[in-house]
């Protein structure tokens, strides 16, 4: 919650994004009916761009294994001109530690 705001005046975000570093996947869950465009971009340029209608999708899962390590941005544009964005770091360094 944003500081100095009551619960009743807080803005509800209808989208939840979960980045799983170990599987190199991004899951986008839509909590409400929404029409929007989703763009994920990074070191390889735009890696995903899709117009989505939640009437057809409850969640979207993106496999990012083929993309380079680096900073990525995800942006949502809805039909009313609202924008939600965020960023994440895709890491290539996978180490398996074995304890004997």
């Amino acid at each position: 919650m944003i500081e100095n705001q009551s619960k009743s005046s807080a803005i509800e975000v209808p989208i939840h994004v979960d980045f799983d570093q170990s599987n190199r996947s991004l899951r986008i869950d839509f909590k409400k009916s929404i029409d929007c465009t989703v763009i994920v971009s990074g070191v390889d340029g735009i890696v995903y761009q899709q117009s989505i209608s939640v009437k057809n999708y409850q969640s979207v899962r993106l496999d990012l294994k083929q993309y380079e390590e680096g900073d990525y941005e995800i942006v949502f544009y809805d039909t009313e001109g609202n924008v939600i964005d965020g960023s994440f770091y895709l890491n290539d360094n996978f180490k398996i530690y074995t304890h004997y």
Side-chain angles (χ1 to χ4, degrees):
M1 182 176 3
I2 299 171
E3 196 172 316
N4 298 328
Q5 276 193 327
S6 68
K7 288 183 183 179
S8 61
S9 68
I11 298 170
E12 180 183 358
V13 178
I15 303 167
H16 174 79
V17 179
D18 182 49
F19 176 59
D20 184 342
Q21 184 71 261
S22 62
N23 289 324
R24 295 174 59 97
S25 66
L26 191 67
R27 190 182 78 228
I28 306 165
D29 296 319
F30 296 92
K31 300 177 183 179
K32 288 183 157 184
S33 177
I34 188 172
D35 294 323
C36 67
T37 299
V38 181
I39 300 172
V40 178
S41 59
V43 294
D44 292 327
I46 294 175
V47 299
Y48 180 83
Q49 182 173 352
Q50 186 71 41
S51 293
I52 294 177
S53 174
V54 173
K55 298 171 194 88
N56 297 324
Y57 300 98
Q58 294 295 323
S59 65
V60 173
R61 186 175 303 270
L62 306 176
D63 182 356
L64 302 173
K65 291 178 183 143
Q66 66 187 12
Y67 299 108
E68 297 293 321
E69 178 176 6
D71 291 311
Y72 285 77
E73 181 179 31
I74 183 167
V75 181
F76 300 89
Y77 300 92
D78 72 9
T79 56
E80 297 173 359
N82 298 307
V83 177
I84 300 172
D85 65 347
S87 61
F88 60 94
Y89 186 81
L90 186 60
N91 191 345
D92 266 346
N93 296 327
F94 294 104
K95 296 180 182 177
I96 299 174
Y97 295 101
T98 306
H99 294 53
Y100 293 98

